[in-house]
Amino acid sequence: MKFVEVISGWINRYFSNEEAIFLVISIVAGLLVVVFLGTVLAPVLTGLAFAFLLEGTVARLAGWRIPRLLAICLVEVLFLGVLIALVVGILPVVWAQLGDLVNALPGAIEGLRDFATELSRRYPDVFSETAVDDWSATLNQQATELGAAVVQGVLGQLPNVLGVLIFLILTPIALFFFLKDKDLLFRGLKVLLPRRRRLLGRIGADMGVQIANYVRGKLIEIVIVAVVTYITLSLLGLNYAALLALLVGLSVLVPYVGAAVVTIPVAAVGLLQFGWTVDFLIVMAAYAIIQALDGNVLVPLLFSKAVNLHPISIILAVLAFGGIWGVWGVFFAIPLATLIKAIYNAWPNVPAESAEPIA
């Protein structure tokens, strides 16, 4: 009986408010929809996410006395322009450089083997000839498997071309109608909400602007870092500049870890191309300056009002949500962690001494 009393007291303390029950049901329902129907509803969910991000831009244009429908059309045209530029202009370049990199792997391995052989000749006590041969054979096998995996991955995605086209068509359509019928959709949603919405209103007020600003700022950071990296590496004559710039830009999605991980391919390409020369040191110095400016100038400028989260909380959020939803989970890890923190802070808490067990 004591255990039942403890459980009933805990339920009364944290779930005595109808808003709390509604919030739990909404979170569970949302998770179930994303987990089981996320792939099917991906265009609609993506359109909803972009509508959430671009609503501020539409509202700002409307504040300049531009009719809302015209403002929505302007934002839609901008969105389509960026999408077309990405599909037509950027992805083919990255894809071509990825193919060049796969084709160049045998030559790169040969260069590494020559380097290892030279080390074995100079330092036979540290790098034996047998160890170098074993290492070279293993590296050749790994490179062959990597090339085969890339080719199989490309061929495996060919049947999904129709699905990608459907996604690219339906997402802008969903975005348009979410922006156009926002008030109508909200009125329909309010019918399902409880009459007293203090908890929901507090969480919504805390999170709406902050999540939108964070995701919008993260997109801007990705674009700026990727463009600056591409220009810098291209001017320095480094091969695969577009591919490396894309990796560096996407690395900002994973705080603390992404920058360290993406340093490996940048250093590897620079070392294989230039060797231990001044050019290699210049490339790495330029990359270090980009990372320093991103962390110390760009991030504080874009996220000056970001919610304060402990680094351990951020890492746990990235690992947890990334494991559940992959790349999208990594991208939205910090906003979701911020949402959880806001729910925790706003959750109704009846004092333990006033909580009565459920009969």
Side-chain angles (χ1 to χ4, degrees):
M1 292 296 296
K2 185 66 175 177
F3 176 76
V4 175
E5 291 179 1
V6 171
I7 296 298
S8 63
W10 183 84
I11 294 175
N12 274 278
R13 183 176 183 183
Y14 293 103
F15 295 95
S16 59
N17 188 304
E18 65 172 341
E19 285 188 88
I21 299 175
F22 179 85
L23 185 59
V24 171
I25 294 175
S26 300
I27 293 173
V28 172
L31 288 175
L32 291 177
V33 168
V34 172
V35 171
F36 292 103
L37 299 176
T39 303
V40 178
L41 300 178
V44 176
L45 296 177
T46 305
L48 177 61
F50 278 108
F52 179 72
L53 297 177
L54 296 175
E55 171 59 29
T57 304
V58 173
R60 182 170 300 179
L61 292 176
W64 294 345
R65 297 185 178 180
I66 298 176
R68 179 173 175 84
L69 184 58
L70 178 59
I72 292 174
C73 292
L74 292 175
V75 170
E76 183 80 13
V77 170
L78 176 62
F79 177 79
L80 288 174
V82 173
L83 186 63
I84 293 173
L86 178 65
V87 174
V88 177
I90 299 177
L91 291 183
V93 176
V94 174
W95 187 258
Q97 293 197 357
L98 179 60
D100 294 340
L101 178 60
V102 172
N103 293 330
L105 281 177
I109 294 174
E110 186 67 25
L112 288 175
R113 188 171 64 179
D114 293 340
F115 178 72
T117 302
E118 181 65 18
L119 288 178
S120 176
R121 186 181 64 81
R122 293 186 178 184
Y123 310 102
D125 295 335
V126 180
F127 302 98
S128 65
E129 185 176 351
T130 303
V132 170
D133 291 339
D134 293 341
W135 176 79
S136 298
T138 302
L139 192 58
N140 277 319
Q141 181 181 359
Q142 294 293 330
T144 302
E145 293 176 356
L146 177 61
V150 171
V151 174
Q152 291 177 0
V154 174
L155 296 177
Q157 293 302 315
L158 290 179
N160 297 328
V161 172
L162 180 60
V164 173
L165 292 177
I166 294 175
F167 179 87
L168 294 177
I169 293 173
L170 291 182
T171 297
I173 295 175
L175 169 62
F176 175 80
F177 283 106
F178 277 127
L179 291 175
K180 175 179 174 294
D181 299 328
K182 182 193 72 170
D183 295 335
L184 178 63
L185 294 173
F186 271 131
R187 284 198 297 270
L189 181 61
K190 286 181 180 179
V191 176
L192 303 175
L193 298 177
R195 292 183 178 181
R196 297 180 59 186
R197 297 189 289 267
R198 184 186 62 82
L199 171 64
L200 300 177
R202 179 179 173 184
I203 294 174
D206 288 345
M207 295 307 304
V209 176
Q210 293 178 357
I211 290 181
N213 288 339
Y214 174 83
V215 177
R216 192 181 298 114
K218 186 60 67 174
L219 290 174
I220 294 173
E221 183 188 6
I222 291 173
V223 172
I224 293 177
V225 172
V227 170
V228 171
T229 302
Y230 174 72
I231 294 174
T232 303
L233 298 183
S234 297
L235 292 176
L236 294 176
L238 187 66
N239 295 332
Y240 319 114
L243 180 60
L244 293 175
L246 179 63
L247 293 177
V248 175
L250 294 178
S251 70
V252 305
L253 293 175
V254 187
Y256 311 111
V257 179
V261 171
V262 82
T263 302
I264 298 174
V266 174
V269 173
L271 184 61
L272 290 173
Q273 181 177 345
F274 299 119
W276 296 100
T277 62
V278 176
D279 291 335
F280 170 72
L281 296 179
I282 292 175
V283 167
M284 298 310 298
Y287 172 76
I289 292 174
I290 292 173
Q291 292 293 344
L293 291 176
D294 174 45
N296 297 288
V297 178
L298 186 59
V299 169
L301 184 64
L302 293 175
F303 306 105
S304 58
K305 297 181 180 180
V307 177
N308 184 24
L309 290 173
H310 193 276
I312 295 297
S313 300
I314 294 175
I315 293 174
L316 289 176
V318 169
L319 293 175
F321 294 115
I324 297 174
W325 295 309
V327 176
W328 288 111
V330 172
F331 184 78
F332 288 103
I334 295 179
L336 290 172
T338 305
L339 175 61
I340 293 174
K341 179 181 178 181
I343 293 174
Y344 175 79
N345 292 334
W347 197 269
N349 184 2
V350 180
E353 59 271 12
S354 62
E356 299 179 359
I358 297 176

